[in-house]
Amino acid sequence: MIINHNFKEMEQLKQELSFYKRFVSLLPFSFTYTDPDLRMELIKNEVQTVNLIKNSTAKNRELKITPTPIIPFEEIEIFLNEILDVVPHHIVFINSKGIVTLCNAQAAIDLHVDRESVIGKHVRELLQIPDEQIKMLETLRTGKPIVNQEILDKNYGIINTRLIKNSEGRLERVVGVFRFLNHIKEAEKQTLASRIAAGIAHEIRNPLTTVRGYLQLLQGRVDEETAEMFQSLLIPEIDRANKIITDFLRVSKPGTVKSEVLEVKDFFIHYLGHFLNSDALLHNVNITYKISEASANSFFIGDREELFQVFSNLYRNSLQARDDSTMDITISTELIGSTIFIEFFDNGVGIAPNLLQHVFDPFFTTKDEGTGLGLSVSKKIIENYHGTMSVESSPLGTRFLIYLPVYTGKVPL
């Protein structure tokens, strides 16, 4: 098994190497790149000729680009732009005056800017920090590249800069490659907060369970009016608090995943439909099931009760979003490659755009009653089965989109 794993890694490395060689050969300009750490030099003299020199004696890391007279450097950037848009890090080019000449898509997204508006502007307008904190400007001033330097300002991450010179040694561009780590830092904060909150919730639940037990014990020892208050008010409120804590712990801590093979048609028509259809009659709701022929006999992994909770939560949310007209709900499934796509659509009033991004946040709710944990728990359940859940909404209704992987193993008899 280890030999086979290593063979696959070697094949992958060969494919990646072939990819890079082909990419370099297609670049419409000549260049020389030297790396003193690796003691290697890459030279491209002609459009199709690439030479790699080992044991280079170069002392500085630099890239010299020689555009042909037909292709100005600006056109080279246009060529590179589409390629760099697929890189998941920030890549920015500036000229000798600090003006942004290239900004890839990821940088624009994370920095919340329209990149067309920052091209031609000074880099400080893109980064929104003082000039003395901008490492690309430091490289421009000193002529020295920066290697894997940690940045601790409002944009946390790792910065690398490079100098691009032409064949005459004149500086053409400073390239900045920034590994944006704000989301990782925020995730670490949220993880820590979740652990603390989960610990507090667990400690609260223990005394609540004790109090509930004593209330049940005292029910038979108090007068009828007090016993009724225990039964109708105090014990139900403790149970409600316990349920909130249980739901919260389910969101904040990884759950134990039950493995059960479910058939699409059987689950949605015979199991889920059996429960939802009865309630729909009571509330004057029309539920339509559109199970595609391709997906009907497909299988997926899940737990019936947990997945019922997911769609029950969506159903209750739809009821609360209904207007004066008849509520129509459509549950549809499609087979897309190795994924089962499930759509839950209602024709309710929709979710306001400014609230849409928060619907899966724990404790977020616009209702007078409710914990705001229903959708958080639902999303967690889907993710526990390696699926995804998202939402779209408009004044015409709300659409929940769920993707679950198809189960391709042996179906138990």
Side-chain angles (χ1 to χ4, degrees), residues 247 250-251 306-317 359-360 372-385 387-389 400 402 404:
D247 285 345
R250 193 171 197 169
V251 173
E306 285 193 333
L307 291 170
F308 171 77
Q309 182 181 352
V310 170
F311 292 99
S312 178
N313 286 336
L314 299 183
Y315 172 74
R316 285 198 299 271
N317 278 316
V359 296
F360 294 115
L373 285 170
L375 289 178
S376 298
V377 170
S378 298
K379 192 170 189 289
K380 184 70 173 180
I381 290 171
I382 295 298
E383 289 174 347
N384 281 343
Y385 296 109
T388 63
M389 184 176 184
F400 284 90
I402 298 171
L404 286 170

PDB file of all heavy atoms in Angstrom, residues 247 250-251 306-317 359-360 372-385 387-389 400 402 404:
ATOM      1  N   ASP A 247     -29.203  21.642  21.469  1.00  0.00           N
ATOM      2  CA  ASP A 247     -29.052  22.112  20.087  1.00  0.00           C
ATOM      3  C   ASP A 247     -27.774  22.907  19.916  1.00  0.00           C
ATOM      4  O   ASP A 247     -27.064  22.782  18.908  1.00  0.00           O
ATOM      5  CB  ASP A 247     -30.254  22.968  19.676  1.00  0.00           C
ATOM      6  CG  ASP A 247     -31.498  22.133  19.404  1.00  0.00           C
ATOM      7  OD1 ASP A 247     -31.361  20.909  19.262  1.00  0.00           O
ATOM      8  OD2 ASP A 247     -32.602  22.710  19.330  1.00  0.00           O
ATOM      9  N   ARG A 250     -24.812  20.706  19.810  1.00  0.00           N
ATOM     10  CA  ARG A 250     -24.782  19.991  18.530  1.00  0.00           C
ATOM     11  C   ARG A 250     -24.123  20.840  17.453  1.00  0.00           C
ATOM     12  O   ARG A 250     -23.436  20.344  16.564  1.00  0.00           O
ATOM     13  CB  ARG A 250     -26.204  19.639  18.116  1.00  0.00           C
ATOM     14  CG  ARG A 250     -26.277  18.643  16.985  1.00  0.00           C
ATOM     15  CD  ARG A 250     -27.705  18.203  16.816  1.00  0.00           C
ATOM     16  NE  ARG A 250     -27.772  16.986  16.027  1.00  0.00           N
ATOM     17  CZ  ARG A 250     -28.861  16.268  15.903  1.00  0.00           C
ATOM     18  NH1 ARG A 250     -29.970  16.631  16.514  1.00  0.00           N
ATOM     19  NH2 ARG A 250     -28.861  15.189  15.163  1.00  0.00           N
ATOM     20  N   VAL A 251     -24.350  22.151  17.505  1.00  0.00           N
ATOM     21  CA  VAL A 251     -23.743  23.062  16.526  1.00  0.00           C
ATOM     22  C   VAL A 251     -22.267  23.263  16.819  1.00  0.00           C
ATOM     23  O   VAL A 251     -21.431  23.279  15.913  1.00  0.00           O
ATOM     24  CB  VAL A 251     -24.472  24.426  16.532  1.00  0.00           C
ATOM     25  CG1 VAL A 251     -23.742  25.427  15.647  1.00  0.00           C
ATOM     26  CG2 VAL A 251     -25.901  24.264  16.058  1.00  0.00           C
ATOM     27  N   GLU A 306     -32.342  12.378  11.944  1.00  0.00           N
ATOM     28  CA  GLU A 306     -31.612  13.646  11.818  1.00  0.00           C
ATOM     29  C   GLU A 306     -32.033  14.389  10.551  1.00  0.00           C
ATOM     30  O   GLU A 306     -32.255  15.603  10.579  1.00  0.00           O
ATOM     31  CB  GLU A 306     -30.107  13.391  11.809  1.00  0.00           C
ATOM     32  CG  GLU A 306     -29.535  13.055  13.163  1.00  0.00           C
ATOM     33  CD  GLU A 306     -28.029  13.120  13.187  1.00  0.00           C
ATOM     34  OE1 GLU A 306     -27.399  12.917  12.134  1.00  0.00           O
ATOM     35  OE2 GLU A 306     -27.471  13.386  14.260  1.00  0.00           O
ATOM     36  N   LEU A 307     -32.105  13.668   9.427  1.00  0.00           N
ATOM     37  CA  LEU A 307     -32.487  14.320   8.181  1.00  0.00           C
ATOM     38  C   LEU A 307     -33.951  14.765   8.203  1.00  0.00           C
ATOM     39  O   LEU A 307     -34.310  15.771   7.599  1.00  0.00           O
ATOM     40  CB  LEU A 307     -32.222  13.389   6.999  1.00  0.00           C
ATOM     41  CG  LEU A 307     -30.739  13.146   6.730  1.00  0.00           C
ATOM     42  CD1 LEU A 307     -30.552  12.029   5.708  1.00  0.00           C
ATOM     43  CD2 LEU A 307     -30.063  14.416   6.235  1.00  0.00           C
ATOM     44  N   PHE A 308     -34.788  14.019   8.911  1.00  0.00           N
ATOM     45  CA  PHE A 308     -36.166  14.483   9.094  1.00  0.00           C
ATOM     46  C   PHE A 308     -36.174  15.810   9.845  1.00  0.00           C
ATOM     47  O   PHE A 308     -36.945  16.724   9.523  1.00  0.00           O
ATOM     48  CB  PHE A 308     -36.986  13.445   9.863  1.00  0.00           C
ATOM     49  CG  PHE A 308     -38.347  13.950  10.259  1.00  0.00           C
ATOM     50  CD1 PHE A 308     -39.367  14.026   9.328  1.00  0.00           C
ATOM     51  CD2 PHE A 308     -38.592  14.365  11.560  1.00  0.00           C
ATOM     52  CE1 PHE A 308     -40.618  14.512   9.689  1.00  0.00           C
ATOM     53  CE2 PHE A 308     -39.829  14.853  11.927  1.00  0.00           C
ATOM     54  CZ  PHE A 308     -40.855  14.923  10.986  1.00  0.00           C
ATOM     55  N   GLN A 309     -35.298  15.934  10.842  1.00  0.00           N
ATOM     56  CA  GLN A 309     -35.199  17.193  11.586  1.00  0.00           C
ATOM     57  C   GLN A 309     -34.810  18.345  10.666  1.00  0.00           C
ATOM     58  O   GLN A 309     -35.334  19.450  10.788  1.00  0.00           O
ATOM     59  CB  GLN A 309     -34.185  17.056  12.722  1.00  0.00           C
ATOM     60  CG  GLN A 309     -34.058  18.308  13.583  1.00  0.00           C
ATOM     61  CD  GLN A 309     -33.024  18.161  14.683  1.00  0.00           C
ATOM     62  OE1 GLN A 309     -32.494  17.075  14.912  1.00  0.00           O
ATOM     63  NE2 GLN A 309     -32.743  19.243  15.366  1.00  0.00           N
ATOM     64  N   VAL A 310     -33.892  18.088   9.713  1.00  0.00           N
ATOM     65  CA  VAL A 310     -33.473  19.132   8.763  1.00  0.00           C
ATOM     66  C   VAL A 310     -34.675  19.646   7.980  1.00  0.00           C
ATOM     67  O   VAL A 310     -34.947  20.860   7.933  1.00  0.00           O
ATOM     68  CB  VAL A 310     -32.405  18.579   7.786  1.00  0.00           C
ATOM     69  CG1 VAL A 310     -32.146  19.583   6.655  1.00  0.00           C
ATOM     70  CG2 VAL A 310     -31.112  18.274   8.519  1.00  0.00           C
ATOM     71  N   PHE A 311     -35.419  18.741   7.358  1.00  0.00           N
ATOM     72  CA  PHE A 311     -36.521  19.169   6.498  1.00  0.00           C
ATOM     73  C   PHE A 311     -37.732  19.640   7.303  1.00  0.00           C
ATOM     74  O   PHE A 311     -38.517  20.456   6.833  1.00  0.00           O
ATOM     75  CB  PHE A 311     -36.887  18.039   5.536  1.00  0.00           C
ATOM     76  CG  PHE A 311     -35.811  17.776   4.530  1.00  0.00           C
ATOM     77  CD1 PHE A 311     -34.913  16.738   4.702  1.00  0.00           C
ATOM     78  CD2 PHE A 311     -35.658  18.616   3.434  1.00  0.00           C
ATOM     79  CE1 PHE A 311     -33.897  16.514   3.781  1.00  0.00           C
ATOM     80  CE2 PHE A 311     -34.649  18.407   2.512  1.00  0.00           C
ATOM     81  CZ  PHE A 311     -33.764  17.358   2.685  1.00  0.00           C
ATOM     82  N   SER A 312     -37.852  19.147   8.521  1.00  0.00           N
ATOM     83  CA  SER A 312     -38.892  19.652   9.409  1.00  0.00           C
ATOM     84  C   SER A 312     -38.610  21.102   9.789  1.00  0.00           C
ATOM     85  O   SER A 312     -39.527  21.935   9.837  1.00  0.00           O
ATOM     86  CB  SER A 312     -38.972  18.778  10.667  1.00  0.00           C
ATOM     87  OG  SER A 312     -39.936  19.275  11.562  1.00  0.00           O
ATOM     88  N   ASN A 313     -37.336  21.428  10.038  1.00  0.00           N
ATOM     89  CA  ASN A 313     -36.958  22.821  10.324  1.00  0.00           C
ATOM     90  C   ASN A 313     -37.254  23.724   9.136  1.00  0.00           C
ATOM     91  O   ASN A 313     -37.773  24.843   9.291  1.00  0.00           O
ATOM     92  CB  ASN A 313     -35.468  22.909  10.677  1.00  0.00           C
ATOM     93  CG  ASN A 313     -35.159  22.370  12.054  1.00  0.00           C
ATOM     94  OD1 ASN A 313     -36.020  22.334  12.927  1.00  0.00           O
ATOM     95  ND2 ASN A 313     -33.923  21.946  12.269  1.00  0.00           N
ATOM     96  N   LEU A 314     -36.914  23.254   7.926  1.00  0.00           N
ATOM     97  CA  LEU A 314     -37.189  24.046   6.726  1.00  0.00           C
ATOM     98  C   LEU A 314     -38.690  24.240   6.544  1.00  0.00           C
ATOM     99  O   LEU A 314     -39.147  25.325   6.153  1.00  0.00           O
ATOM    100  CB  LEU A 314     -36.587  23.363   5.495  1.00  0.00           C
ATOM    101  CG  LEU A 314     -35.061  23.167   5.479  1.00  0.00           C
ATOM    102  CD1 LEU A 314     -34.622  22.534   4.165  1.00  0.00           C
ATOM    103  CD2 LEU A 314     -34.343  24.489   5.686  1.00  0.00           C
ATOM    104  N   TYR A 315     -39.459  23.200   6.811  1.00  0.00           N
ATOM    105  CA  TYR A 315     -40.914  23.272   6.677  1.00  0.00           C
ATOM    106  C   TYR A 315     -41.493  24.295   7.655  1.00  0.00           C
ATOM    107  O   TYR A 315     -42.336  25.133   7.279  1.00  0.00           O
ATOM    108  CB  TYR A 315     -41.500  21.884   6.921  1.00  0.00           C
ATOM    109  CG  TYR A 315     -43.005  21.845   6.996  1.00  0.00           C
ATOM    110  CD1 TYR A 315     -43.788  21.965   5.846  1.00  0.00           C
ATOM    111  CD2 TYR A 315     -43.656  21.691   8.223  1.00  0.00           C
ATOM    112  CE1 TYR A 315     -45.177  21.931   5.916  1.00  0.00           C
ATOM    113  CE2 TYR A 315     -45.035  21.657   8.303  1.00  0.00           C
ATOM    114  CZ  TYR A 315     -45.789  21.774   7.155  1.00  0.00           C
ATOM    115  OH  TYR A 315     -47.162  21.739   7.231  1.00  0.00           O
ATOM    116  N   ARG A 316     -41.057  24.268   8.907  1.00  0.00           N
ATOM    117  CA  ARG A 316     -41.566  25.225   9.904  1.00  0.00           C
ATOM    118  C   ARG A 316     -41.187  26.656   9.542  1.00  0.00           C
ATOM    119  O   ARG A 316     -41.980  27.588   9.724  1.00  0.00           O
ATOM    120  CB  ARG A 316     -41.019  24.867  11.294  1.00  0.00           C
ATOM    121  CG  ARG A 316     -41.684  23.654  11.913  1.00  0.00           C
ATOM    122  CD  ARG A 316     -41.428  23.609  13.418  1.00  0.00           C
ATOM    123  NE  ARG A 316     -40.004  23.509  13.714  1.00  0.00           N
ATOM    124  CZ  ARG A 316     -39.357  22.360  13.831  1.00  0.00           C
ATOM    125  NH1 ARG A 316     -39.999  21.215  13.650  1.00  0.00           N
ATOM    126  NH2 ARG A 316     -38.081  22.345  14.125  1.00  0.00           N
ATOM    127  N   ASN A 317     -39.972  26.835   9.018  1.00  0.00           N
ATOM    128  CA  ASN A 317     -39.574  28.177   8.576  1.00  0.00           C
ATOM    129  C   ASN A 317     -40.459  28.665   7.447  1.00  0.00           C
ATOM    130  O   ASN A 317     -40.798  29.854   7.373  1.00  0.00           O
ATOM    131  CB  ASN A 317     -38.108  28.176   8.120  1.00  0.00           C
ATOM    132  CG  ASN A 317     -37.148  28.300   9.289  1.00  0.00           C
ATOM    133  OD1 ASN A 317     -37.354  29.101  10.177  1.00  0.00           O
ATOM    134  ND2 ASN A 317     -36.125  27.486   9.307  1.00  0.00           N
ATOM    135  N   VAL A 359     -28.595  33.701   8.252  1.00  0.00           N
ATOM    136  CA  VAL A 359     -29.639  32.730   8.609  1.00  0.00           C
ATOM    137  C   VAL A 359     -29.087  31.465   9.251  1.00  0.00           C
ATOM    138  O   VAL A 359     -29.797  30.794   9.995  1.00  0.00           O
ATOM    139  CB  VAL A 359     -30.508  32.362   7.383  1.00  0.00           C
ATOM    140  CG1 VAL A 359     -31.270  33.555   6.880  1.00  0.00           C
ATOM    141  CG2 VAL A 359     -29.680  31.735   6.278  1.00  0.00           C
ATOM    142  N   PHE A 360     -27.820  31.116   8.960  1.00  0.00           N
ATOM    143  CA  PHE A 360     -27.242  29.912   9.544  1.00  0.00           C
ATOM    144  C   PHE A 360     -26.443  30.207  10.820  1.00  0.00           C
ATOM    145  O   PHE A 360     -25.863  29.293  11.409  1.00  0.00           O
ATOM    146  CB  PHE A 360     -26.335  29.200   8.537  1.00  0.00           C
ATOM    147  CG  PHE A 360     -27.075  28.640   7.355  1.00  0.00           C
ATOM    148  CD1 PHE A 360     -26.848  29.136   6.074  1.00  0.00           C
ATOM    149  CD2 PHE A 360     -28.013  27.628   7.512  1.00  0.00           C
ATOM    150  CE1 PHE A 360     -27.520  28.621   4.978  1.00  0.00           C
ATOM    151  CE2 PHE A 360     -28.688  27.108   6.418  1.00  0.00           C
ATOM    152  CZ  PHE A 360     -28.444  27.604   5.150  1.00  0.00           C
ATOM    153  N   GLY A 372     -33.344  30.347  17.284  1.00  0.00           N
ATOM    154  CA  GLY A 372     -32.398  30.699  16.237  1.00  0.00           C
ATOM    155  C   GLY A 372     -31.357  29.623  16.000  1.00  0.00           C
ATOM    156  O   GLY A 372     -30.305  29.886  15.424  1.00  0.00           O
ATOM    157  N   LEU A 373     -31.657  28.385  16.443  1.00  0.00           N
ATOM    158  CA  LEU A 373     -30.705  27.298  16.280  1.00  0.00           C
ATOM    159  C   LEU A 373     -31.134  26.278  15.227  1.00  0.00           C
ATOM    160  O   LEU A 373     -30.350  25.408  14.844  1.00  0.00           O
ATOM    161  CB  LEU A 373     -30.496  26.568  17.623  1.00  0.00           C
ATOM    162  CG  LEU A 373     -29.638  27.298  18.653  1.00  0.00           C
ATOM    163  CD1 LEU A 373     -29.710  26.598  19.996  1.00  0.00           C
ATOM    164  CD2 LEU A 373     -28.197  27.399  18.188  1.00  0.00           C
ATOM    165  N   GLY A 374     -32.375  26.363  14.755  1.00  0.00           N
ATOM    166  CA  GLY A 374     -32.900  25.362  13.831  1.00  0.00           C
ATOM    167  C   GLY A 374     -32.079  25.211  12.566  1.00  0.00           C
ATOM    168  O   GLY A 374     -31.673  24.099  12.201  1.00  0.00           O
ATOM    169  N   LEU A 375     -31.794  26.317  11.888  1.00  0.00           N
ATOM    170  CA  LEU A 375     -31.036  26.247  10.638  1.00  0.00           C
ATOM    171  C   LEU A 375     -29.560  25.936  10.895  1.00  0.00           C
ATOM    172  O   LEU A 375     -28.907  25.291  10.079  1.00  0.00           O
ATOM    173  CB  LEU A 375     -31.185  27.543   9.845  1.00  0.00           C
ATOM    174  CG  LEU A 375     -32.563  27.775   9.228  1.00  0.00           C
ATOM    175  CD1 LEU A 375     -32.621  29.118   8.507  1.00  0.00           C
ATOM    176  CD2 LEU A 375     -32.926  26.652   8.257  1.00  0.00           C
ATOM    177  N   SER A 376     -29.032  26.404  12.026  1.00  0.00           N
ATOM    178  CA  SER A 376     -27.638  26.084  12.371  1.00  0.00           C
ATOM    179  C   SER A 376     -27.473  24.589  12.564  1.00  0.00           C
ATOM    180  O   SER A 376     -26.520  23.978  12.062  1.00  0.00           O
ATOM    181  CB  SER A 376     -27.227  26.812  13.661  1.00  0.00           C
ATOM    182  OG  SER A 376     -27.299  28.209  13.493  1.00  0.00           O
ATOM    183  N   VAL A 377     -28.409  23.992  13.291  1.00  0.00           N
ATOM    184  CA  VAL A 377     -28.369  22.549  13.512  1.00  0.00           C
ATOM    185  C   VAL A 377     -28.537  21.804  12.192  1.00  0.00           C
ATOM    186  O   VAL A 377     -27.836  20.827  11.909  1.00  0.00           O
ATOM    187  CB  VAL A 377     -29.464  22.121  14.524  1.00  0.00           C
ATOM    188  CG1 VAL A 377     -29.590  20.608  14.579  1.00  0.00           C
ATOM    189  CG2 VAL A 377     -29.147  22.672  15.904  1.00  0.00           C
ATOM    190  N   SER A 378     -29.466  22.273  11.352  1.00  0.00           N
ATOM    191  CA  SER A 378     -29.713  21.625  10.058  1.00  0.00           C
ATOM    192  C   SER A 378     -28.459  21.619   9.199  1.00  0.00           C
ATOM    193  O   SER A 378     -28.096  20.594   8.607  1.00  0.00           O
ATOM    194  CB  SER A 378     -30.850  22.344   9.318  1.00  0.00           C
ATOM    195  OG  SER A 378     -32.054  22.269  10.045  1.00  0.00           O
ATOM    196  N   LYS A 379     -27.776  22.754   9.124  1.00  0.00           N
ATOM    197  CA  LYS A 379     -26.554  22.858   8.321  1.00  0.00           C
ATOM    198  C   LYS A 379     -25.459  21.933   8.882  1.00  0.00           C
ATOM    199  O   LYS A 379     -24.736  21.283   8.126  1.00  0.00           O
ATOM    200  CB  LYS A 379     -26.064  24.301   8.298  1.00  0.00           C
ATOM    201  CG  LYS A 379     -24.974  24.596   7.275  1.00  0.00           C
ATOM    202  CD  LYS A 379     -24.757  26.113   7.190  1.00  0.00           C
ATOM    203  CE  LYS A 379     -23.841  26.473   6.022  1.00  0.00           C
ATOM    204  NZ  LYS A 379     -22.454  26.094   6.234  1.00  0.00           N
ATOM    205  N   LYS A 380     -25.382  21.869  10.215  1.00  0.00           N
ATOM    206  CA  LYS A 380     -24.376  21.008  10.842  1.00  0.00           C
ATOM    207  C   LYS A 380     -24.643  19.547  10.519  1.00  0.00           C
ATOM    208  O   LYS A 380     -23.707  18.773  10.245  1.00  0.00           O
ATOM    209  CB  LYS A 380     -24.399  21.231  12.362  1.00  0.00           C
ATOM    210  CG  LYS A 380     -23.322  20.462  13.113  1.00  0.00           C
ATOM    211  CD  LYS A 380     -21.949  21.028  12.825  1.00  0.00           C
ATOM    212  CE  LYS A 380     -20.896  20.395  13.695  1.00  0.00           C
ATOM    213  NZ  LYS A 380     -19.550  20.923  13.445  1.00  0.00           N
ATOM    214  N   ILE A 381     -25.909  19.140  10.525  1.00  0.00           N
ATOM    215  CA  ILE A 381     -26.256  17.749  10.214  1.00  0.00           C
ATOM    216  C   ILE A 381     -25.833  17.405   8.791  1.00  0.00           C
ATOM    217  O   ILE A 381     -25.216  16.361   8.541  1.00  0.00           O
ATOM    218  CB  ILE A 381     -27.774  17.517  10.401  1.00  0.00           C
ATOM    219  CG1 ILE A 381     -28.139  17.565  11.888  1.00  0.00           C
ATOM    220  CG2 ILE A 381     -28.198  16.185   9.793  1.00  0.00           C
ATOM    221  CD1 ILE A 381     -29.633  17.563  12.161  1.00  0.00           C
ATOM    222  N   ILE A 382     -26.157  18.289   7.848  1.00  0.00           N
ATOM    223  CA  ILE A 382     -25.787  18.049   6.442  1.00  0.00           C
ATOM    224  C   ILE A 382     -24.270  17.964   6.293  1.00  0.00           C
ATOM    225  O   ILE A 382     -23.739  17.080   5.599  1.00  0.00           O
ATOM    226  CB  ILE A 382     -26.357  19.153   5.538  1.00  0.00           C
ATOM    227  CG1 ILE A 382     -27.897  19.121   5.537  1.00  0.00           C
ATOM    228  CG2 ILE A 382     -25.820  19.012   4.117  1.00  0.00           C
ATOM    229  CD1 ILE A 382     -28.491  17.845   4.996  1.00  0.00           C
ATOM    230  N   GLU A 383     -23.541  18.848   6.966  1.00  0.00           N
ATOM    231  CA  GLU A 383     -22.077  18.841   6.874  1.00  0.00           C
ATOM    232  C   GLU A 383     -21.484  17.592   7.515  1.00  0.00           C
ATOM    233  O   GLU A 383     -20.427  17.114   7.090  1.00  0.00           O
ATOM    234  CB  GLU A 383     -21.511  20.110   7.524  1.00  0.00           C
ATOM    235  CG  GLU A 383     -21.785  21.367   6.705  1.00  0.00           C
ATOM    236  CD  GLU A 383     -21.351  22.639   7.413  1.00  0.00           C
ATOM    237  OE1 GLU A 383     -21.060  22.570   8.635  1.00  0.00           O
ATOM    238  OE2 GLU A 383     -21.324  23.696   6.759  1.00  0.00           O
ATOM    239  N   ASN A 384     -22.147  17.053   8.535  1.00  0.00           N
ATOM    240  CA  ASN A 384     -21.663  15.821   9.162  1.00  0.00           C
ATOM    241  C   ASN A 384     -21.668  14.650   8.185  1.00  0.00           C
ATOM    242  O   ASN A 384     -20.913  13.678   8.360  1.00  0.00           O
ATOM    243  CB  ASN A 384     -22.512  15.469  10.386  1.00  0.00           C
ATOM    244  CG  ASN A 384     -22.144  16.296  11.608  1.00  0.00           C
ATOM    245  OD1 ASN A 384     -21.075  16.898  11.663  1.00  0.00           O
ATOM    246  ND2 ASN A 384     -23.036  16.348  12.576  1.00  0.00           N
ATOM    247  N   TYR A 385     -22.520  14.732   7.162  1.00  0.00           N
ATOM    248  CA  TYR A 385     -22.580  13.683   6.131  1.00  0.00           C
ATOM    249  C   TYR A 385     -21.863  14.122   4.853  1.00  0.00           C
ATOM    250  O   TYR A 385     -22.192  13.674   3.766  1.00  0.00           O
ATOM    251  CB  TYR A 385     -24.036  13.309   5.858  1.00  0.00           C
ATOM    252  CG  TYR A 385     -24.708  12.694   7.066  1.00  0.00           C
ATOM    253  CD1 TYR A 385     -25.680  13.378   7.778  1.00  0.00           C
ATOM    254  CD2 TYR A 385     -24.326  11.437   7.512  1.00  0.00           C
ATOM    255  CE1 TYR A 385     -26.268  12.831   8.892  1.00  0.00           C
ATOM    256  CE2 TYR A 385     -24.914  10.877   8.652  1.00  0.00           C
ATOM    257  CZ  TYR A 385     -25.882  11.576   9.334  1.00  0.00           C
ATOM    258  OH  TYR A 385     -26.452  11.033  10.455  1.00  0.00           O
ATOM    259  N   GLY A 387     -21.897  16.880   3.226  1.00  0.00           N
ATOM    260  CA  GLY A 387     -22.705  17.636   2.270  1.00  0.00           C
ATOM    261  C   GLY A 387     -22.568  19.127   2.494  1.00  0.00           C
ATOM    262  O   GLY A 387     -21.826  19.581   3.371  1.00  0.00           O
ATOM    263  N   THR A 388     -23.282  19.895   1.685  1.00  0.00           N
ATOM    264  CA  THR A 388     -23.302  21.354   1.836  1.00  0.00           C
ATOM    265  C   THR A 388     -24.744  21.840   1.811  1.00  0.00           C
ATOM    266  O   THR A 388     -25.625  21.201   1.230  1.00  0.00           O
ATOM    267  CB  THR A 388     -22.515  22.060   0.717  1.00  0.00           C
ATOM    268  OG1 THR A 388     -23.146  21.781  -0.551  1.00  0.00           O
ATOM    269  CG2 THR A 388     -21.070  21.613   0.690  1.00  0.00           C
ATOM    270  N   MET A 389     -24.966  22.983   2.438  1.00  0.00           N
ATOM    271  CA  MET A 389     -26.311  23.568   2.484  1.00  0.00           C
ATOM    272  C   MET A 389     -26.190  25.074   2.334  1.00  0.00           C
ATOM    273  O   MET A 389     -25.383  25.709   3.011  1.00  0.00           O
ATOM    274  CB  MET A 389     -26.984  23.212   3.816  1.00  0.00           C
ATOM    275  CG  MET A 389     -28.409  23.686   3.949  1.00  0.00           C
ATOM    276  SD  MET A 389     -29.115  23.078   5.524  1.00  0.00           S
ATOM    277  CE  MET A 389     -30.799  23.664   5.364  1.00  0.00           C
ATOM    278  N   PHE A 400     -33.701  26.551  -0.447  1.00  0.00           N
ATOM    279  CA  PHE A 400     -32.564  25.942   0.238  1.00  0.00           C
ATOM    280  C   PHE A 400     -31.970  24.883  -0.682  1.00  0.00           C
ATOM    281  O   PHE A 400     -32.700  24.041  -1.224  1.00  0.00           O
ATOM    282  CB  PHE A 400     -32.994  25.320   1.562  1.00  0.00           C
ATOM    283  CG  PHE A 400     -33.244  26.331   2.646  1.00  0.00           C
ATOM    284  CD1 PHE A 400     -34.495  26.894   2.821  1.00  0.00           C
ATOM    285  CD2 PHE A 400     -32.211  26.744   3.470  1.00  0.00           C
ATOM    286  CE1 PHE A 400     -34.719  27.844   3.804  1.00  0.00           C
ATOM    287  CE2 PHE A 400     -32.423  27.701   4.460  1.00  0.00           C
ATOM    288  CZ  PHE A 400     -33.681  28.250   4.626  1.00  0.00           C
ATOM    289  N   ILE A 402     -29.264  21.833  -1.127  1.00  0.00           N
ATOM    290  CA  ILE A 402     -28.516  20.830  -0.368  1.00  0.00           C
ATOM    291  C   ILE A 402     -27.846  19.862  -1.328  1.00  0.00           C
ATOM    292  O   ILE A 402     -28.479  19.390  -2.280  1.00  0.00           O
ATOM    293  CB  ILE A 402     -29.454  20.060   0.592  1.00  0.00           C
ATOM    294  CG1 ILE A 402     -30.063  21.023   1.615  1.00  0.00           C
ATOM    295  CG2 ILE A 402     -28.706  18.936   1.308  1.00  0.00           C
ATOM    296  CD1 ILE A 402     -31.156  20.406   2.468  1.00  0.00           C
ATOM    297  N   LEU A 404     -25.598  16.272  -1.295  1.00  0.00           N
ATOM    298  CA  LEU A 404     -25.103  15.134  -0.533  1.00  0.00           C
ATOM    299  C   LEU A 404     -24.394  14.159  -1.475  1.00  0.00           C
ATOM    300  O   LEU A 404     -24.873  13.930  -2.589  1.00  0.00           O
ATOM    301  CB  LEU A 404     -26.261  14.412   0.167  1.00  0.00           C
ATOM    302  CG  LEU A 404     -26.863  15.103   1.391  1.00  0.00           C
ATOM    303  CD1 LEU A 404     -28.150  14.406   1.817  1.00  0.00           C
ATOM    304  CD2 LEU A 404     -25.872  15.133   2.551  1.00  0.00           C
TER     305      LEU A 404
END
